[in-house]
Amino acid sequence: MRVARFALTVLVAATLVAPTAPARAQPAPSAEAAFAHVQHLAGVIGPRVAGTPADRAAQEYLAGQLRQYGYAVELHTFQFPFFETRRVEVAQAGTPPRAIAAAALFYSAATPAGGLEADVVPVGLGQPADFEGRRVAGAIALIERGVITFREKVANAASRGAVAAVVYNTGPGVISGTLGARSEIPAVAISQDDGRRLVEAAQAGRVRLRLLVDTVVETRTSANVVGTKRGTTRPEEIIVVGGHFDSVAGAPGANDNASGTAAALEAARVLAGVPMARSLQVVLFAAEELGLYGSAAFASERRAGIVGMINLDMVGWGERLMIGASPGRDESVVNVAEQVAQRLGIPVTRFRAGASDHASFERQGVPVVFLHRGVDPYYHQPGDVPANVTPRHLAEAARLVVGIVMELAAARAGLLPVRPGG
Ligand code: BES
Ligand code: ZN
């Protein structure tokens, strides 16, 4: 308490002699500089799947940029469950066999190298009661998407002796879903049409499926790239600006999320020359796409001193910036962001945020603001290339970040619930 009052006295004294953040002219981010990062990450390096050589190339590039701006740079390493699909083939046995479009669920076990063939047994939604009176031992369980998680469906099938699980969609296309952790048996997703056709055929007679799933599930190491700029009067209190730099397999990840990484970097560049009371940490996260692994490791290991977090994910496509926190979470930093946006004349919409790295900080009790522009048509596709990213959108996001950071880092009393030391 005495320390806090002392700090406050120093702060009030400091504010009498030094101008506070809004009074200070805000340096302007450059659209071209930000876009150059997108071109390098998505255009030169390409898809950046965590745990691959492209992941390491991206880390080196990002560390080099932050070092150039004058930040103290470190790699924060962590282990995570790596997953990769090498080959997936599904076919209804017959003469000729009928090929069925399929994708391995993330963290699916592999089949034997030669594949497997078994009878198909439909088991509804794959809830425990759905298995009553059905003989799935040695068979392939055919399960409809919905109500319980993929992981639960597949575990229920495995515990009753199924040799594989096939989950069919409730809408168009083959969905990409995750089991969260390695499954006992191979598990693939197929379309609703193919699923329904197989259910009907299995009800009419015997249906056999052939499955070949070649996946890699193993522990690997990756690293978040961390750049730190020490605060002048409250260095132990930290503002985090972050965004993930990894992408899904096959997607160059220009908008998701070279865009957020680029805007964070550009904000870091212009903030390097701005004296601030609190410390600024720019953290570029690895392994978001497999399950927020990089940010989860960082937020749990480095939570001490963090007073607020700004996450950027998909800010290069779509006219309007959206800001928010997860449902039911602290909105104090969102409120600050809204005020700053208004002052800067940047139009923003408040929305309920989806799944990205800010959630890892919210789980540790850190107030966050998540910035994005909505889902583009190339999301997680090979078409997520730099040409679909608008440079001025990156600069606008960076400008808002600079404003929010200057506001939060100015450390005027009553702005944030300050909990140094976590
Ligand atoms: N960039 C997305 C999250 C996102 C979605 C941001 C929509 C803005 C608008 C992120 O990389 C992603 O794909 N997340 C996964 C979940 C994650 C835990 C694997 C998702 O949303 O399905
Ligand atoms: Zn993303």
Side-chain angles (χ1 to χ4, degrees), residues 244 256-257 288-289 313-314 356 379-380:
H244 75 91
D256 186 11
N257 183 34
E288 188 267 357
E289 298 286 5
D313 195 353
M314 312 220 293
S356 181
Y379 175 58
H380 288 184

Side-chain angles (χ1 to χ4, degrees), residues 54-68:
D55 176 6
R56 286 184 286 283
Q59 290 166 28
E60 273 168 36
Y61 172 76
L62 300 170
Q65 296 299 309
L66 286 168
R67 228 172 260 130
Q68 243 179 54

Side-chain angles (χ1 to χ4, degrees), residues 106 176 178 244 246 248 255-257 287-292 313-314 351 354-358 370-376 379-380:
F106 280 27
S176 132
T178 184
H244 75 91
D246 65 315
V248 298
N255 194 35
D256 186 11
N257 183 34
E288 188 267 357
E289 298 286 5
L290 288 170
L292 312 181
D313 195 353
M314 312 220 293
F351 80 114
S356 181
D357 295 305
H358 57 279
F370 174 33
L371 267 60
H372 82 85
R373 292 182 190 272
V375 182
D376 62 84
Y379 175 58
H380 288 184

